[in-house]
Short mmCIF file of all heavy atoms in Angstrom, two decimals:
data_model
loop_
_atom_site.label_atom_id
_atom_site.label_comp_id
_atom_site.label_asym_id
_atom_site.label_seq_id
_atom_site.Cartn_x
_atom_site.Cartn_y
_atom_site.Cartn_z
N ILE A 291 84.20 93.31 109.90
CA ILE A 291 83.21 93.39 110.98
C ILE A 291 82.94 92.00 111.54
O ILE A 291 82.83 91.82 112.77
CB ILE A 291 81.92 94.08 110.48
CG1 ILE A 291 82.18 95.58 110.30
CG2 ILE A 291 80.76 93.84 111.45
CD1 ILE A 291 81.04 96.33 109.66
N GLU A 322 92.15 103.09 104.85
CA GLU A 322 92.76 104.02 105.81
C GLU A 322 92.44 103.61 107.25
O GLU A 322 91.31 103.24 107.56
CB GLU A 322 92.26 105.43 105.51
CG GLU A 322 92.94 106.53 106.30
CD GLU A 322 92.30 106.71 107.65
OE1 GLU A 322 91.06 106.69 107.75
OE2 GLU A 322 93.07 106.84 108.63
N SER A 325 89.62 105.83 109.88
CA SER A 325 88.22 105.69 109.48
C SER A 325 87.77 104.23 109.54
O SER A 325 86.63 103.93 109.88
CB SER A 325 87.99 106.27 108.08
OG SER A 325 88.81 105.62 107.12
N ILE A 347 103.17 112.30 107.57
CA ILE A 347 102.01 112.32 106.69
C ILE A 347 100.79 112.79 107.48
O ILE A 347 99.94 113.49 106.96
CB ILE A 347 101.79 110.93 106.07
CG1 ILE A 347 102.94 110.61 105.09
CG2 ILE A 347 100.45 110.84 105.36
CD1 ILE A 347 102.86 109.25 104.45
N ALA A 353 94.89 114.38 114.05
CA ALA A 353 94.82 113.10 114.74
C ALA A 353 94.21 113.24 116.13
O ALA A 353 93.36 112.44 116.53
CB ALA A 353 96.22 112.48 114.84
N TRP A 376 108.90 103.06 107.99
CA TRP A 376 110.03 102.30 107.45
C TRP A 376 110.02 102.30 105.92
O TRP A 376 110.98 101.89 105.29
CB TRP A 376 109.98 100.85 107.95
CG TRP A 376 108.66 100.17 107.69
CD1 TRP A 376 107.61 100.06 108.56
CD2 TRP A 376 108.24 99.52 106.48
NE1 TRP A 376 106.57 99.38 107.97
CE2 TRP A 376 106.91 99.04 106.70
CE3 TRP A 376 108.83 99.29 105.24
CZ2 TRP A 376 106.19 98.35 105.71
CZ3 TRP A 376 108.12 98.62 104.26
CH2 TRP A 376 106.80 98.15 104.51
N VAL A 384 104.46 111.33 98.14
CA VAL A 384 103.50 112.41 98.42
C VAL A 384 104.22 113.71 98.79
O VAL A 384 103.63 114.64 99.33
CB VAL A 384 102.51 112.00 99.54
CG1 VAL A 384 101.67 110.83 99.08
CG2 VAL A 384 103.23 111.68 100.84
N THR A 410 95.13 116.49 127.33
CA THR A 410 95.07 116.60 128.79
C THR A 410 95.18 118.02 129.33
O THR A 410 94.84 118.25 130.50
CB THR A 410 96.20 115.77 129.43
OG1 THR A 410 97.47 116.26 128.98
CG2 THR A 410 96.07 114.30 129.07
N ASP A 422 110.88 120.99 117.41
CA ASP A 422 111.53 121.10 116.11
C ASP A 422 110.58 120.73 114.97
O ASP A 422 110.80 121.12 113.83
CB ASP A 422 112.75 120.19 116.06
CG ASP A 422 113.86 120.67 116.97
OD1 ASP A 422 113.94 121.88 117.23
OD2 ASP A 422 114.66 119.81 117.44
N PRO A 433 85.48 118.56 122.44
CA PRO A 433 85.63 117.91 123.74
C PRO A 433 86.93 117.11 123.85
O PRO A 433 87.46 116.66 122.83
CB PRO A 433 84.42 116.98 123.80
CG PRO A 433 84.20 116.60 122.36
CD PRO A 433 84.52 117.84 121.58
N VAL A 436 87.09 110.77 126.15
CA VAL A 436 86.40 110.16 127.28
C VAL A 436 87.39 109.49 128.22
O VAL A 436 87.29 109.60 129.45
CB VAL A 436 85.37 109.12 126.77
CG1 VAL A 436 84.77 108.33 127.93
CG2 VAL A 436 84.28 109.80 125.96
N ASN A 455 111.87 106.18 123.17
CA ASN A 455 110.50 106.68 123.09
C ASN A 455 109.58 105.91 124.04
O ASN A 455 108.75 106.50 124.72
CB ASN A 455 109.98 106.58 121.66
CG ASN A 455 110.42 107.74 120.79
OD1 ASN A 455 111.16 108.62 121.23
ND2 ASN A 455 109.96 107.77 119.56
N ALA A 484 113.04 103.23 131.26
CA ALA A 484 111.82 103.87 131.77
C ALA A 484 111.98 104.27 133.23
O ALA A 484 111.52 105.34 133.64
CB ALA A 484 110.63 102.93 131.59
N ALA A 494 104.04 94.54 124.62
CA ALA A 494 103.22 93.73 123.72
C ALA A 494 104.14 93.07 122.70
O ALA A 494 105.16 93.65 122.30
CB ALA A 494 102.18 94.60 123.01
N VAL A 499 99.72 82.87 114.75
CA VAL A 499 99.16 81.69 115.41
C VAL A 499 98.76 80.64 114.38
O VAL A 499 98.00 80.92 113.45
CB VAL A 499 97.93 82.08 116.26
CG1 VAL A 499 97.34 80.84 116.95
CG2 VAL A 499 98.30 83.15 117.29
N THR A 504 97.92 68.35 115.67
CA THR A 504 99.26 67.89 116.04
C THR A 504 100.28 68.99 115.72
O THR A 504 100.04 69.84 114.86
CB THR A 504 99.66 66.61 115.29
OG1 THR A 504 99.79 66.92 113.89
CG2 THR A 504 98.62 65.52 115.48
N LYS A 549 115.68 86.69 108.99
CA LYS A 549 116.02 85.94 107.78
C LYS A 549 114.84 86.01 106.80
O LYS A 549 113.76 86.47 107.15
CB LYS A 549 116.35 84.50 108.14
CG LYS A 549 117.53 84.37 109.10
CD LYS A 549 117.74 82.93 109.51
CE LYS A 549 118.89 82.81 110.51
NZ LYS A 549 119.08 81.42 110.99
N ASP A 558 107.99 89.45 112.20
CA ASP A 558 108.69 88.30 112.80
C ASP A 558 107.77 87.44 113.66
O ASP A 558 108.18 86.86 114.67
CB ASP A 558 109.88 88.77 113.64
CG ASP A 558 111.04 89.28 112.81
OD1 ASP A 558 111.15 88.89 111.64
OD2 ASP A 558 111.84 90.07 113.33
N GLY A 566 101.57 75.05 116.88
CA GLY A 566 101.54 73.73 117.47
C GLY A 566 100.14 73.34 117.88
O GLY A 566 99.15 73.82 117.30
N GLY A 628 110.79 76.71 127.77
CA GLY A 628 111.69 77.70 127.18
C GLY A 628 112.58 77.22 126.07
O GLY A 628 113.06 78.02 125.26
#
Side-chain angles (χ1 to χ4, degrees):
I291 287 173
E322 187 276 317
S325 59
I347 292 178
W376 53 265
V384 296
T410 60
D422 291 333
V436 172
N455 277 3
V499 180
T504 66
K549 300 175 182 177
D558 288 336

